[in-house]
Amino acid sequence: MATPGQLQMYNKLEVGEMFGLDHRAMDTRVGKIHRIHVYPDEKVPNAATYVVWLEDHTLGNILRMELLRNEAVLFVGYKVPHPLNHMIELRIQTMPRTSPEAVLRHAIVNLKAEVKSMLDQFDEGVKAFKDTQAKKLAANPGTVIVERPSVLMEQSSDAPFSTSEERIVTDSPDMEAEERDQRFQAQLEEFERVAGGTSTSFSPSYSPSPASG
């Protein structure tokens, strides 16, 4: 377990840093703290840098990929300047016929539509799965089905065995874990036997040298 002194060396953000703005988000140009700072490039035409606080690679990467689909975008890139500052810097350069703000707004609209489509497909898949389960139960009212990954347990009143018994196609997770531990222990004992009974521990040991005469 880490000591309080060691915890100070970790790059884990505090809750307040992830969901709240502080003095680091101060825009010195207007003297206010806000989430998005826009800095037009003074040397490169049709270019700007967006400093977005309380965001990380999740937003930066999807914005970059969506902006690269736009033929009017000449350059787009983002970076996280420091792991302790919960913010990203997004730089965009466009063709003269448009502007960084316009292509960024267009990319956000497209991403909203894509995310909504993903959520709708997920909801449709869940509904289809529930409908399938309901049809199975309606076809055989005496069957209770509980599905898990690679595990199927069912109890049927018309089965050749008693209704108080339960047929298990795949072992329960507890039984699987116990068998896995037993196999590991057997392999460890076999390794020790082949190694001639030597210890498998890698802890350092100290043997004092005999005192010289």
Side-chain angles (χ1 to χ4, degrees):
M1 182 175 180
T3 63
Q6 292 174 333
L7 290 175
Q8 296 178 0
M9 302 174 60
Y10 294 165
N11 288 339
K12 181 179 179 181
L13 296 174
E14 299 293 338
V15 176
E17 294 177 327
M18 291 188 290
F19 301 103
L21 297 174
D22 56 16
H23 64 280
R24 293 174 295 181
M26 172 70 71
D27 190 345
T28 57
R29 298 170 299 178
V30 296
K32 293 182 180 180
I33 296 177
H34 49 91
R35 190 175 179 185
I36 301 177
H37 303 177
V38 183
Y39 298 94
D41 197 307
E42 299 179 355
K43 298 181 179 179
V44 180
N46 302 306
T49 300
Y50 295 84
V51 178
V52 186
W53 287 88
L54 307 183
E55 296 295 345
D56 53 17
H57 294 281
T58 302
L59 181 65
N61 192 46
I62 60 175
L63 282 176
R64 182 180 67 88
M65 295 301 296
E66 183 62 32
L67 286 166
L68 287 175
R69 298 177 182 177
N70 194 331
E71 296 180 355
V73 175
L74 295 177
F75 172 84
V76 58
Y78 83 95
K79 66 178 180 179
V80 178
H82 197 280
L84 295 182
N85 290 334
H86 196 197
M87 53 87 77
I88 61 174
E89 291 184 3
L90 179 70
R91 179 175 171 80
I92 305 173
Q93 182 183 4
T94 65
M95 300 285 286
R97 66 174 181 267
T98 183
S99 65
E101 180 179 354
V103 296
L104 182 58
R105 289 182 179 274
H106 183 68
I108 294 174
V109 171
N110 290 344
L111 288 174
K112 285 183 177 180
E114 290 184 15
V115 172
K116 183 179 183 301
S117 175
M118 292 173 59
L119 292 176
D120 291 342
Q121 293 178 36
F122 177 80
D123 292 339
E124 291 175 0
V126 172
K127 184 178 182 300
F129 175 77
K130 291 182 178 180
D131 293 342
T132 302
Q133 295 298 101
K135 291 179 181 178
K136 289 181 180 179
L137 294 178
N140 191 355
T143 302
V144 178
I145 301 176
V146 180
E147 292 190 357
R148 290 177 295 181
S150 72
V151 177
L152 176 63
M153 303 173 62
E154 59 181 15
Q155 180 179 352
S156 177
S157 59
D158 57 355
F161 47 85
S162 173
T163 57
S164 60
E165 297 179 358
E166 186 176 52
R167 184 176 62 187
I168 304 177
V169 179
T170 305
D171 294 336
S172 64
D174 293 339
M175 295 178 61
E176 292 179 354
E178 184 177 354
E179 292 180 358
R180 185 168 59 251
D181 293 341
Q182 292 177 356
R183 291 196 301 268
F184 174 77
Q185 185 64 28
Q187 293 174 357
L188 182 62
E189 293 176 355
E190 179 67 15
F191 174 77
E192 292 180 349
R193 186 186 66 79
V194 174
T198 57
S199 174
T200 58
S201 174
F202 294 95
S203 301
S205 59
Y206 171 72
S207 300
S209 58
S212 59

